[in-house]
Each structure stands twice: as structure tokens, then as C-alpha cells.
């Protein structure tokens, strides 16, 4: 995983205008990077990260494998390209670990077997 860009933090000012502007800036970066990667690998799939939190998993000991374990705790979904020949996937997401912390544009790579088709 890598943080490609992050916004300011929100310790001093969490006003709606400040938060919205920060999120929109990262959304624009996400859109631009998605367009570049889509030119190379096609349109990404959107993967909902909620199931990886494990709340609906019948196994009470369920722990999502990394990097999904981290991503599901900071983001609601991710854009994914399945890089078939390599057996891996590449994902982009915008996440925030806590209300006062910065938004982050995150890139992650994982094993194809971690994501169902």
C-alpha cells in the first residue's frame, strides 16, 4: 500500500466547507488517476469493502487479509483492476482513519485470490 496524496488534517477546523474542499480535491485526483489506468487496463470494478469488516461473517474469528483489513477500516469501497497475468489486483481508494485525520488517496496491490470475481 502507498499513500499517493493526503489532505490537510482537521484537528483545528472541521467545518463543512474545509472538509468538502479537501475531499473534492482528492476525488479529482482519484478521477484523473482512474482515467489514466483505465486507458491501460480498462474500466475498474468497484468493490464494496463492508464484507471485509467481518460483521456478517459467521466465523467470529474472521480477520480480513491485508491489505483488505486496513482498507475496510478507512474506506467504504475501492476501484479495482484485476491484473490477470500477474495474479494480482491494483486498487485505488480514498480513506480517512478518523474524523480529525487527513483524507488519503491510497493505492494498494493484493493477491487475486483475496477478491472473489
Amino acid at each position: 500500500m502507498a499513500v499517493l496524496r493526503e489532505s490537510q488534517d482537521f484537528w483545528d477546523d472541521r467545518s463543512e466547507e474545509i472538509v468538502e474542499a479537501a475531499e473534492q480535491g482528492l476525488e479529482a485526483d482519484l478521477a484523473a488517476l482512474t482515467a489514466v489506468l483505465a486507458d491501460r487496463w480498462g474500466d475498474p470494478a468497484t468493490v464494496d469493502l463492508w464484507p471485509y469488516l467481518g460483521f456478517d461473517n459467521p466465523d467470529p474469528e474472521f480477520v480480513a487479509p491485508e491489505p483488505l483489513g486496513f482498507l475496510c477500516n478507512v474506506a467504504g469501497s475501492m476501484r479495482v483492476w484485476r491484473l490477470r497475468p500477474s495474479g494480482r489486483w491494483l486498487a485505488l481508494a480514498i480513506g480517512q482513519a478518523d474524523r480529525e485525520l487527513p483524507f488519503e488517496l491510497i493505492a494498494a496491490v493484493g493477491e487475486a485470490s483475496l477478491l472473489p470475481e
Side-chain angles (χ1 to χ4, degrees):
M1 284 191 337
V3 175
L4 304 178
R5 184 155 181 241
E6 68 179 22
S7 71
Q8 69 185 59
D9 65 43
F10 304 103
W11 291 103
D12 295 327
D13 187 357
R14 184 144 177 83
S15 63
E16 189 173 329
E17 301 82 32
I18 297 292
V19 172
E20 233 175 80
E23 194 168 20
Q24 287 175 354
L26 285 180
E27 288 286 348
D29 292 342
L30 175 62
L33 188 51
T34 297
V36 170
L37 295 176
D39 282 346
R40 181 175 181 143
W41 293 312
D43 291 333
T46 299
V47 173
D48 179 15
L49 292 167
W50 172 262
Y52 298 98
L53 287 170
F55 296 130
D56 297 331
N57 195 304
D59 178 2
E61 303 297 317
F62 173 80
V63 176
E66 294 302 335
L68 295 170
F70 174 81
L71 289 169
C72 71
N73 282 291
V74 299
S77 66
M78 62 184 184
R79 297 176 185 184
V80 176
W81 290 266
R82 296 176 195 281
L83 311 174
R84 301 224 186 270
S86 71
R88 296 187 181 274
W89 50 262
L90 169 70
L92 297 175
I94 294 177
Q96 185 182 30
D98 199 0
R99 294 173 38 92
E100 292 82 15
L101 297 177
F103 289 108
E104 297 177 327
L105 174 56
I106 301 166
V109 175
E111 295 291 328
S113 61
L114 298 179
L115 289 178
E117 287 291 323

